[in-house]
Every structure is written in structure tokens, then in C-alpha cells.
Amino acid sequence: MKSQLFFCFFIVCVSYTSSFLNVREFRQTDLLKCYDGLRDNPKTNELINGQEYPLPNSLETFVSLVEKLETIHRNTDPLEMSKNLLLSFSVEGMNPDLKATPDRFNALNELRRAFFDIPNVIGKSNFRDEDLTHDEKCALHFMLSHTINDTLDGNEDSVLIDGRSVAKRPREYGVVSLHAKKIHAIALARVLLGLMAGLKGNNEMEASAILKRLKPRVGDELKGVKVKLLPAVTLGDLISAIVSSNYQRDNLIFFPNGQWNEDVCPTEYYLNDNVKSVVSYSLLRGAIDGFILGRLVEENLQTYKELRLSQILRMYYGPSGLVSENSKDQQWCNRNSLYNSKKVSNEEYKNYLKLYNVYRSAEDDSHLEEVDYVLSNIENKQEIFEAVSAEASTECRATDSSQDAKCETPTNIFAILDGAQLNNNFQMEVIGKLSVDFDIRPHGSLVGVYVNSRSMQRRSLDLIANHTGISGCPGCYIRPYRKFSGSRLNEEEVFQSLNETLTEFEEAYDKAQENLHEPKSGTPAKVILYFNNGNPTNTRKLKDAVWEVVEYFREATILAIGSNTEALQVFTRNDDTDIFSEKNVDALVPKLKSRICKVPAEFQFKKCESKSRGVDTKQLIFIPANKIQYWAMYPKYFLKSFSISLKFKPEDGAQIKVCFSRNYYRIIEDRSQQYVECQDSTGAEIEFKVSNPCKRRNEHNCDPFYFFVEGRKTATTLCQNLGCSSAKDIKIEFQHEGISCSAASFVSVSALTFLFATFIFFVHRY
């Protein structure tokens, strides 16, 4: 991998972009550090986009970073969040010395700031320095600051343009990938500008009033000219930039589509060709998405003002679609038809061009006749619409109603890599593809990555990627460890350290949930993804180490990945379903997803020993419509119970189905009435009753409670908890009555626990 650290200092080809910062303001921020020289980092020895441990330039990563900020700034509405992001991280196209900006960029940026009435950006953002790490700030900067770099790096084909020898395939920055697709790239700042315009309402402003914000003394050239905010800040200024750039009418060209350097860790987008242009397809695609989002938001303004920015983006770019009666049609997959149904008169773009011309001291009617031609050319470009639709996510044409396709159980994955195989791309690609497609976010599923060595500071496994909830980072973080040469643990030591790892994680997770000051949510499933391509020996010590993990963390499921399937049987409960020897990543990942999703999430009631009442008897789960989840409650919480009532209540008229069983296979594979009790609800409470569930049994042989939960229809109100991935999620309250357990059933509660576990261990061993 080549470091792109110094790319900014050698930019010779820039394009029209979107931002609020100018270069003078940019140089007063910490973003300048994103262009520092190499730092002494023994594990990486290079920076990627200014980051020691790079985050992918993906929409999924961006949305999860936004959700992290939303957790800190709880009352920030989507308009303010979008504005803060652009104020903090997006900068206009810069000259190579980072000290000046071409006049044409200043003109576009000053007009945008005038539209949103932002005279000065310094100190206007509500974000604090400690809200994000340095790497996260640099990632947002390179996702929101558009430029095209055609500097040769010595290892690529060149082409001669205007007497300069430049890269035949320039690199485009300020764009993001979507769903790990190779071609798709979107200029994200354009999307935010359109969304901001929509959230301000259908604003039509006097062009002269806008100009007076920039030039107090103006003539009456713009008298009677009105400009609409949304078309102006999306396609309007791009069209104005094109027609005023001395383009050739018979040869209107744009920077073409390209391909990402990787699908699991995209950090660079290589265009397919180098051309003489000022606008790229990625910019136009972002502008069109921003325009569509703005129009849809305008139509339902009060609803969208109540949502979070992360929810709006996740709905438009995800499978659910936006909030409307025809929501399935209101998503990026239908970009072409949505644009055609929402587009405005060409006069709106001509009015913006008049304003642009007067501000630049040009004739107010200069190039007006070109707007129709340029706009028609854009609207008929297959490269903007059809070329990316052809590789669209399966969710865009989802017809599969099978159980696997609908499954979406929240999950915490603990991936343990085989240190001897770190130079092999296989592990990185598997983790990367799992990370992109799962609901990885601060309040959803998490992925942590470890290597089979012990941490220097603790007895737990050495950590590569923490369970931060930032989508995409686990796949990227593996790369810097390829040269890792620390001492590796044998299998027995790995599982001894895994016990410590899981214990530390639980303590940190519980503390983080308490700090949210929200009603407690159910706990995601625990899945240990163990890569082992060696030949583990099935010794008594190894069996004991695995047994301890399985007994202390009964809710956790171990999935083993490796070529020696017989030797891997020592690690798994079910050899038929939990061992994977597939060597092809694209074939393996769907199988893993299917199995992982069937590991049940958990209802935890850690105060059950006091037969607590009130808030500890309730937990929330969130599920999208037409999705299913699996849940469980383990006997350590109801060991001493005699008469239990288990209740599920969907909020505000949502429709759900819940099934209950004591048999895992039945709840997963066969929900026949004779084996499983199922109930449907349209807003009413569902109740299951159980008597003396652990009669003559102990914590280790008493069967858990298993639940199948299906979302049927969304509620009449919006889902706004932090646990809601989108506003259309169904919120369900799970409540119990009569739960009681023994204090000795918790591993970390007291010394009595340790004595009990030790006794069981020796009985098992001898």
C-alpha cells in the first residue's frame, strides 16, 4: 500500500466543490495536521489520508461517525448537524501550497455561505476537540473535501494534458463508497447541502438580498430576480461553473466514474481516465442525491426536523427508504425516477447563474443560453444513473423473503485472528465484508478484532480494533498489523485470555450503557469468530480452557474458521453449523452472516437476585419492519423463579409476532405449533407464562428461554431513541414479572461464585 500522505502539496488538477471553510480559515484549524509528515509508528510507518489507522471513505463509516457525534450532542437537529460537519471539516479547493484558493472557488463558497447566512465560520461549530480522535477528524475531512489529484506517483500510466505529464487515472477525494461497491462514489458534501436546503423549507430569496450580504453596495441588475435555495446549492452552482469555464459545446465532458482501491477498506477512488473538465460524475451524483433528499424533506418538513441526520441518511441509502407511504421507492436505488419526478424548471438554474455572474462582475445574462443544453446533458448521462445502478446492492431489488434474508439480530463479534496468517488478505476481507454489511454503529452491532497474542498491559487478548461502533474500521485496522511479530499464544492460552477479554468487555459495555441515561436495551449476541489455520491438538488443557469460556459465557457462540475441520471440533458446540472451511471469501461471508444472525441476543437482568421491581424489569428492543431477530434469557436470571410472566409490548400500534420455546433448534428452524408458542399483536401486549422453569435443574443444565421476534408493521409515531437505526424501527418493551435467581449464578458477583465455578470445573475434569 502506498502512502498518500503528501498528495495535497502536489495537486495540479482541482474541481468545483462544496464547503463552508476557505483556506485561510482552514489553516486556523487542526485539520492542517492531516497533512503532516510521517510520524514514528512502529506498526504502520505510514499515514493514509492523514491517519495512522485509516477509516474507510464509505457512507457507512460517515453515518456511524455522525451517530457518535449525535450521542454527544443529543439535541442537535439534522440541519444543525449538517452545518456543523461542513463548518468543521469541509474546505474549498486549494492551491498546492495550501495558502490560497482560486477566485472561482471563493465565489462559489461565498455565495453558499450567503445563502445560509454564515458570515464567519470560525467558532461557529458546536463540536468540541475531544469529541473525535485525530484519525476520525481526518477521515471526515477527506470524506467532505472534494478535489482531484492527477499527480504521478511513479507507478502509474501517464497522459499529456495542456503540456503537463499527469496520471492517466487521477485520484478523486471528497467522495464516499456505498455498500462496498467498486464503482459507486458520491460527493458527500453535496448531499448535505441539499439536505440543509430542504430542512430550511422551500426558501425563495431575492437575488439582490443575497448579493447585499456580500457586497453592501450593489446596483439593480438583479431587480425582480428570485433564487430558490435547493436547486442553487446542488446542481445550480455546478452548472454555473461549467458554462463559465470556456467549455466546448460540442465536447462537454466530465471527469468519469472510477473504481475504489479496495471494497473492504476504500481510501482512494481512481478515475478511469483523465480529462479536461471542472466537474465529475461523483459531484453530479452527490448533487442529484442532495436535490432529491431536499425535495422529499420539503414535502414532509415537520417530520424530518424531528429526526437525526444519521437516520435520514441511513433510510435513503439503506433498504427501508424514507418516511412516506411509498417509502420503498424513496431511496438511492431509484435516483433516476425520483429526480425526474422532482426536478424544477430550468429557470431556477438560470436565476442562480445571473446572481453568480453579477457577483463575479460579469454580464448578468452571460451564458444563460447554455443552461438548457448543459442540464439536458447531465440528465441523460448513463454514467450518473445506470452505470452505478447496474451494480446496486441486493437490497435495491430485494425479493427474497427467506428467513436468512430477513434476519437482523444485534450482535457483538469478537474476531480472533491467526497471527501466522496476517500477511494473507483472507482474514481482512472476511472481517471487512462483515463490517460493511452489518448494522455497525455505536448503538447497534459491534465488531472487535484481536490477534492470538496477549496484551502487554493486561491478561486479555491483544486488541487490533476496538468495539467502537464505527462501521468499516475493523477491516481497515487489520492491515497495519500485517508485519506484527510479537509472541503468539497457543490455543490453550488464547482461550484463557479470551475469558479475560469477554469479562473486560462486559464491564465496559455495561458502564457505557448506564452512561447513556436511557431505558436499558437488550444486550447484543456474543459471537467469537476464531480463525485458526493450524493443527490444534485436542489436549485435556485445551478442552478445559474452551470449557471454561463456554460455561462462564454460556450466551457466547464460537464459530471456527480454518482448513482442518476435524481439529477445529474442539472449539465448537455444533460441528455441523459452527465450523467453516470455505476458502473463497465471497462464498464464505454469506454463510457466516446467516449463522451469526441466528445466535440469540440476550435479555439480562443482573439484579434478579433481589427480585427487583421497576426499571430493571424492563428492556427495549428495536426491530425494522419485515425483519426478524432471535433473543434469549439464560437460567442464571431465573434459576429460583416459580411463576414467571414474560411480556412484549409494541409501541404506538406497531404489529409484531413473537414465538417462545425452551428449545433452540425449534425456535430457529421449526416453529410448528406443537413445539413453539407463537402470538401476533397489533399494538396489544403479548404474554407468555412459565411455571417452575428450572425444577430439579441447575444453572448449567436448565434450558434458556428462546424468542423469535418479527417486525410486521411500523408504528404510527417515529422511533427516536438512540437504539433506533431508522425512524421506522419498531420499539418493543420487554418486561418480566416473577424473575428470581441465586447470587451464586454470576461469575463476577462474589467470591462464592468463584468457589462454585471451581467446584464444577473439578467435577468435570476428574
Side-chain angles (χ1 to χ4, degrees):
M1 178 194 303
K2 303 178 183 67
S3 171
Q4 297 301 324
L5 176 63
F6 300 108
F7 83 86
C8 184
F9 295 96
F10 299 98
I11 290 175
V12 293
C13 182
V14 292
S15 63
Y16 288 87
T17 66
S18 311
S19 72
F20 286 140
L21 285 171
N22 59 39
V23 171
R24 177 183 58 82
E25 294 156 343
F26 160 75
R27 292 181 62 82
Q28 298 178 50
T29 71
D30 285 342
L31 295 177
L32 200 59
K33 295 178 182 178
C34 297
Y35 301 92
D36 283 350
L38 294 176
R39 279 171 285 178
D40 183 19
N41 184 341
K43 286 197 169 86
T44 63
N45 199 33
E46 67 177 12
L47 301 183
I48 304 298
N49 294 343
Q51 303 159 64
E52 291 182 86
Y53 298 98
L55 277 72
N57 288 358
S58 73
L59 189 72
E60 291 84 355
T61 303
F62 177 78
V63 170
S64 57
L65 286 171
V66 170
E67 190 167 318
K68 178 178 179 178
L69 289 167
E70 290 168 341
T71 304
I72 300 168
H73 303 275
R74 294 288 186 91
N75 298 318
T76 304
D77 62 38
L79 173 58
E80 193 68 17
M81 181 61 69
S82 300
K83 185 173 75 173
N84 284 337
L85 286 163
L86 293 178
L87 287 172
S88 300
F89 303 110
S90 184
V91 61
E92 196 64 38
M94 296 179 288
N95 278 338
D97 61 3
L98 297 182
K99 294 180 180 179
T101 307
D103 289 341
R104 60 184 181 271
F105 291 105
N106 278 329
L108 291 169
N109 196 39
E110 292 302 318
L111 282 171
R112 279 190 292 270
R113 285 162 64 152
F115 275 122
F116 291 104
D117 197 16
I118 304 174
N120 183 7
V121 304
I122 299 300
K124 296 296 184 181
S125 171
N126 293 331
F127 299 153
R128 299 167 301 187
D129 186 60
E130 63 270 20
D131 290 345
L132 299 166
T133 68
H134 171 78
D135 284 353
E136 290 169 343
K137 293 174 187 175
C138 289
L140 286 171
H141 172 61
F142 285 107
M143 283 191 266
L144 290 170
S145 300
H146 186 274
T147 193
I148 291 176
N149 170 15
D150 65 1
T151 306
L152 288 166
D153 67 5
N155 294 296
E156 53 192 333
D157 295 334
S158 62
V159 63
L160 201 64
I161 295 181
D162 290 340
R164 298 183 297 110
S165 182
V166 294
K168 184 174 176 60
R169 297 191 63 194
R171 296 171 294 280
E172 185 172 18
Y173 294 90
V175 295
V176 295
S177 69
L178 179 64
H179 304 318
K181 299 302 174 185
K182 276 284 191 179
I183 296 175
H184 214 133
I186 303 165
L188 191 53
R190 286 276 159 186
V191 179
L192 296 188
L193 283 171
L195 188 55
M196 287 176 62
L199 288 165
K200 283 182 72 70
N202 187 17
N203 279 350
E204 186 175 65
M205 294 173 271
E206 294 286 346
S208 57
I210 295 296
L211 191 59
K212 283 181 181 179
R213 294 177 181 175
L214 302 170
K215 295 182 176 181
R217 294 183 180 180
V218 298
D220 58 358
E221 303 99 316
L222 296 173
K223 186 176 181 179
V225 176
K226 294 184 178 181
V227 179
K228 285 189 176 179
L229 178 57
L230 176 57
V233 300
T234 50
L235 284 170
D237 61 0
L238 292 183
I239 294 171
S240 298
I242 293 168
V243 301
S244 61
S245 65
N246 299 318
Y247 84 102
Q248 297 178 5
R249 191 181 227 273
D250 59 348
N251 189 31
L252 175 58
I253 55 177
F254 306 104
F255 281 110
N257 288 321
Q259 285 196 342
W260 288 98
N261 59 329
E262 293 181 5
D263 51 0
V264 299
C265 184
T267 54
E268 289 184 307
Y269 188 67
Y270 286 84
L271 300 179
N272 291 335
D273 199 6
N274 200 342
V275 297
K276 191 174 181 180
S277 183
V278 295
V279 170
S280 70
Y281 288 140
S282 303
L283 270 176
L284 291 167
R285 196 174 296 121
I288 288 169
D289 277 357
F291 175 80
I292 292 169
L293 268 169
R295 290 280 280 159
L296 294 172
V297 165
E298 283 178 346
E299 296 170 1
N300 200 357
L301 189 57
Q302 290 308 120
T303 294
Y304 285 102
K305 281 184 174 180
E306 296 178 19
L307 303 184
R308 301 192 303 275
L309 174 61
S310 62
Q311 291 182 310
I312 297 172
L313 293 175
R314 193 178 283 115
M315 286 189 290
Y316 179 73
Y317 288 107
S320 71
L322 293 171
V323 178
S324 77
E325 292 182 2
N326 299 313
S327 61
K328 197 64 179 174
D329 298 327
Q330 294 191 356
Q331 59 176 160
W332 72 276
C333 309
N334 301 305
R335 183 181 287 135
N336 199 349
S337 60
L338 280 171
Y339 172 74
N340 286 325
S341 68
K342 301 296 179 183
K343 64 183 181 181
V344 296
S345 166
N346 290 9
E347 293 303 311
E348 302 297 345
Y349 301 110
K350 293 177 183 179
N351 286 344
Y352 175 81
L353 179 56
K354 290 177 184 179
L355 171 61
Y356 178 73
N357 285 336
V358 172
Y359 180 62
R360 296 191 69 205
S361 300
E363 295 294 330
D364 64 333
D365 60 352
S366 177
H367 306 296
L368 288 183
E369 72 281 359
E370 299 298 318
V371 170
D372 295 336
Y373 173 76
V374 172
L375 186 59
S376 175
N377 198 291
I378 291 171
E379 291 173 348
N380 289 287
K381 280 292 182 184
Q382 290 187 354
E383 291 87 348
I384 299 174
F385 299 102
E386 283 79 4
V388 292
S389 296
E391 63 150 17
S393 278
T394 53
E395 62 198 35
C396 290
R397 47 185 186 273
T399 57
D400 190 353
S401 60
S402 69
Q403 188 168 307
D404 286 355
K406 295 170 63 177
C407 187
E408 196 175 278
T409 305
T411 306
N412 289 335
I413 295 178
F414 301 78
I416 305 173
L417 305 186
D418 186 341
Q421 301 292 317
L422 284 181
N423 286 323
N424 190 323
N425 283 341
F426 176 78
Q427 295 178 117
M428 185 182 81
E429 290 180 8
V430 171
I431 298 300
K433 288 181 181 291
L434 288 174
S435 302
V436 169
D437 289 340
F438 276 161
D439 180 25
I440 307 299
R441 57 191 187 90
H443 306 288
S445 297
L446 308 175
V447 177
V449 183
Y450 305 81
V451 69
N452 57 348
S453 65
R454 186 176 287 117
S455 169
M456 295 292 291
Q457 292 80 22
R458 303 182 305 275
R459 293 166 57 190
S460 54
L461 291 168
D462 197 12
L463 180 68
I464 292 179
N466 207 344
H467 294 78
T468 60
I470 305 303
S471 176
C473 77
C476 280
Y477 276 28
I478 295 173
R479 180 189 286 106
Y481 279 77
R482 286 178 173 176
K483 297 178 181 179
F484 179 75
S485 58
S487 59
R488 295 185 174 87
L489 304 176
N490 59 39
E491 287 82 2
E492 175 194 336
E493 294 170 322
V494 165
F495 278 82
Q496 290 171 346
S497 297
L498 177 59
N499 248 327
E500 296 290 336
T501 301
L502 293 174
T503 300
E504 289 179 5
F505 174 83
E506 276 210 342
E507 292 172 353
Y509 185 87
D510 289 345
K511 185 175 180 180
Q513 294 301 305
E514 290 175 6
N515 291 338
L516 288 177
H517 304 296
E518 284 207 339
K520 181 175 173 58
S521 297
T523 304
K526 290 187 182 71
V527 174
I528 293 105
L529 210 59
Y530 183 46
F531 292 84
N532 189 312
N533 213 39
N535 293 289
T537 304
N538 191 353
T539 64
R540 167 60 67 179
K541 286 186 176 180
L542 177 56
K543 282 184 177 179
D544 291 343
V546 173
W547 182 85
E548 287 185 55
V549 172
V550 171
E551 290 304 305
Y552 290 173
F553 296 95
R554 186 176 177 183
E555 69 275 15
T557 295
I558 301 169
L559 306 182
I561 303 172
S563 54
N564 192 338
T565 57
E566 185 175 349
L568 294 178
Q569 292 177 11
V570 66
F571 304 115
T572 60
R573 284 195 183 105
N574 190 323
D575 303 336
D576 295 331
T577 61
D578 296 351
I579 295 176
F580 300 84
S581 59
E582 177 65 60
K583 296 180 180 179
N584 180 283
V585 173
D586 291 330
L588 171 63
V589 169
K591 296 177 183 177
L592 282 174
K593 287 182 184 178
S594 174
R595 178 65 187 97
I596 288 171
C597 198
K598 292 175 182 177
V599 177
E602 185 184 8
F603 293 120
Q604 292 185 350
F605 296 98
K606 295 190 174 180
K607 295 181 180 179
C608 60
E609 72 278 2
S610 61
K611 214 170 184 177
S612 61
R613 299 181 181 276
V615 69
D616 192 58
T617 66
K618 299 179 181 179
Q619 290 186 10
L620 299 178
I621 64 175
F622 304 91
I623 184 170
N626 201 38
K627 294 290 184 179
I628 60 177
Q629 296 177 356
Y630 299 99
W631 289 82
M633 184 191 291
Y634 291 90
K636 60 185 176 181
Y637 301 115
F638 57 81
L639 188 63
K640 299 297 183 181
S641 304
F642 293 96
S643 181
I644 301 176
S645 174
L646 305 166
K647 301 176 182 179
F648 293 81
K649 182 174 176 56
E651 292 202 354
D652 301 315
Q655 295 181 16
I656 62 172
K657 176 181 179 179
V658 183
C659 298
F660 168 70
S661 177
R662 306 293 300 278
N663 184 289
Y664 176 73
Y665 169 79
R666 297 297 184 192
I667 206 72
I668 297 293
E669 304 292 349
D670 180 15
R671 288 182 294 280
S672 304
Q673 288 186 354
Q674 61 266 39
Y675 301 117
V676 177
E677 181 182 356
C678 294
Q679 297 184 40
D680 293 272
S681 169
T682 306
E685 185 176 80
I686 291 175
E687 183 177 14
F688 302 100
K689 293 188 175 182
V690 186
S691 298
N692 205 1
C694 292
K695 185 178 181 180
R696 298 192 183 95
R697 290 177 177 261
N698 59 43
E699 177 189 341
H700 302 281
N701 60 21
C702 180
D703 294 323
F705 299 156
Y706 294 109
F707 305 96
F708 163 95
V709 182
E710 180 178 8
R712 292 282 180 90
K713 185 179 179 181
T714 56
T716 55
T717 57
L718 302 174
C719 190
Q720 294 178 295
N721 289 64
L722 289 175
C724 310
S725 62
S726 85
K728 298 163 69 174
D729 281 3
I730 299 170
K731 182 166 73 170
I732 304 171
E733 181 184 271
F734 172 75
Q735 183 177 9
H736 71 76
E737 292 178 3
I739 288 290
S740 179
C741 65
S742 167
S745 62
F746 291 93
V747 173
S748 58
V749 171
S750 65
L752 183 60
T753 297
F754 177 77
L755 294 174
F756 177 71
T758 304
F759 171 74
I760 294 294
F761 172 75
F762 279 104
V763 168
H764 170 80
R765 184 170 183 177
Y766 298 108

